[in-house]
Amino acid sequence: MIHAWLGFVTRSSIIQLFGRVYGHLYNTNYLRYISELNHELMQAISIADDGSTSHRQSWQPCQLYIDYKKPLRLGDRVAVKACLENLSLRQALWAYEVSRTANGVNAQAKVVYRMHSQDQKFDTEIPQDLLNVLNTYPNRESGMEEIDMPTPTIPPAGALNRLWTVNWRDIGQDGYLHLAAYFDDLLDFVMGSLAELGWSVDREAEAGFAWYVRRHWLEIFNPIQMTDKLCLTSWLSAVKRSTVLRNYSIHDENSGTLSGRAYTLWVCVDPATGRPLRISERIIQDLNGQIAD
């Protein structure tokens, strides 16, 4: 159940056994909690809007940013909170917090939603009746209308490439790919490619390091459907002492149209303590062909 609390809409959950790595909740599950809360919000808005479902079916995320601050573990009771941060004629910016009770914020996120028209464009104005309902929600009026995305870089010659066939189980009732499923597939793609280079999770653990996700960004230009045939490309940029930015582009296989971009900020850490480590020169050498100039 959702309810207003200190200017937020909240939902409570208990961390289950599935989806853990290094004893932590897997990062894409935070996006599932956010999506579940958003689904309940859209249902509540639909009921307030005389029960129409047409708005909910055409309401799509087009930008995402999430910052992971502290890990969640098995059995933690968490609250997922949402606040309407900015509302305009064409989009709504929602801010989210995922936190353990009385233990501070574990993750913060922002998602920009726009109306997606039948011709699959993000240029439709939000209907006035829906705006009237949304205006009843607490609005912090941040003045921020879009998320600050990383600057795109050009993929190097050694960038990873793979065809992507969308799985039916990742498609929602609206016919489009779930928000969390984007990073499920992108991370599977990268982890599999690293394992082929000899850097599996077990090999990394033996070498005394692990990779933690610190931030995700996602920009969707064309929401993905079941019938889409896609090409994924991934490469690295902004390599620093203990962090590296993983870049992704998603193109339509037939037309070459850019469907989306994504970025993940990875941190190299000591798995025993969670403290940052210097990225091994061996890793840099093995991935050198994937690093943008």
Side-chain angles (χ1 to χ4, degrees):
M1 180 176 293
I2 58 177
H3 57 279
W5 182 78
L6 294 180
F8 284 88
V9 177
T10 68
R11 186 179 194 275
S12 296
S13 300
I14 298 177
I15 303 303
Q16 303 295 320
L17 181 61
F18 65 86
R20 292 189 302 145
V21 62
Y22 301 118
H24 302 164
L25 180 71
Y26 191 60
N27 61 87
T28 60
N29 285 320
Y30 292 75
L31 300 178
R32 287 185 169 82
Y33 293 151
I34 288 170
S35 295
E36 287 170 4
L37 176 56
N38 183 70
H39 177 71
E40 294 183 23
L41 280 167
M42 293 302 103
Q43 283 186 316
I45 290 169
S46 174
I47 292 170
D49 189 28
D50 298 326
S52 169
T53 59
S54 60
H55 298 329
R56 186 174 72 242
Q57 291 172 342
S58 59
W59 195 254
Q60 291 293 320
C62 62
Q63 288 184 332
L64 160 78
Y65 167 73
I66 183 166
D67 182 18
Y68 299 96
K69 297 180 177 297
K70 294 186 293 186
L72 290 167
R73 295 178 172 82
L74 178 65
D76 284 344
R77 182 177 292 276
V78 297
V80 186
K81 307 176 185 180
C83 177
L84 183 59
E85 185 132 315
N86 196 289
L87 180 65
S88 67
L89 289 176
R90 295 186 182 275
Q91 63 186 32
L93 172 63
W94 286 87
Y96 301 88
E97 290 184 357
V98 181
S99 58
R100 270 199 315 259
T101 305
N103 280 284
V105 176
N106 294 79
Q108 291 180 313
K110 293 181 185 290
V111 182
V112 174
Y113 296 92
R114 291 180 183 164
M115 302 301 293
H116 194 241
S117 60
Q118 290 184 347
D119 58 358
Q120 298 186 350
K121 293 182 178 179
F122 277 131
D123 59 1
T124 305
E125 288 190 1
I126 302 171
Q128 187 59 50
D129 54 353
L130 182 54
L131 282 173
N132 293 339
V133 175
L134 286 169
N135 276 320
T136 66
Y137 282 79
N139 190 327
R140 294 198 296 206
E141 289 291 349
S142 67
M144 177 181 178
E145 294 186 356
E146 292 189 345
I147 292 170
D148 187 17
M149 305 293 292
T151 302
T153 56
I154 299 174
L160 303 174
N161 291 281
R162 194 198 79 180
L163 296 179
W164 181 16
T165 301
V166 179
N167 195 308
W168 64 268
R169 65 189 175 196
D170 294 330
I171 299 295
Q173 290 183 342
D174 58 4
Y176 295 106
L177 190 68
H178 289 304
L179 191 60
Y182 279 89
F183 284 104
D184 280 337
D185 284 280
L186 293 175
L187 294 174
D188 283 348
F189 166 37
V190 169
M191 297 301 285
S193 298
L194 289 175
E196 290 176 1
L197 290 173
W199 289 107
S200 64
V201 172
D202 289 341
R203 168 82 186 285
E204 292 169 356
E206 291 173 1
F209 72 92
W211 292 104
Y212 283 4
V213 171
R214 177 61 196 274
R215 298 186 181 104
H216 281 316
W217 294 262
L218 176 64
E219 192 167 22
I220 302 170
F221 304 115
N222 296 298
I224 293 174
Q225 303 177 78
M226 178 69 183
T227 56
D228 290 342
K229 303 298 181 182
L230 304 163
C231 180
L232 301 180
T233 303
S234 182
W235 65 100
L236 301 170
S237 65
V239 180
K240 298 182 179 179
R241 181 182 185 278
S242 58
T243 64
V244 61
L245 188 68
R246 171 66 69 174
N247 302 246
Y248 307 88
S249 65
I250 306 169
H251 287 83
D252 182 273
E253 181 185 354
N254 296 319
S255 68
T257 302
L258 181 64
S259 297
R261 292 193 189 100
Y263 308 86
T264 298
L265 182 65
W266 290 94
V267 184
C268 184
V269 301
D270 181 335
T273 65
R275 294 178 179 175
L277 293 175
R278 180 183 292 276
I279 300 173
S280 166
E281 286 298 326
R282 174 67 183 280
I283 290 285
I284 298 298
Q285 292 173 7
D286 287 351
L287 302 181
N288 186 58
Q290 299 182 33
I291 301 174
D293 294 333

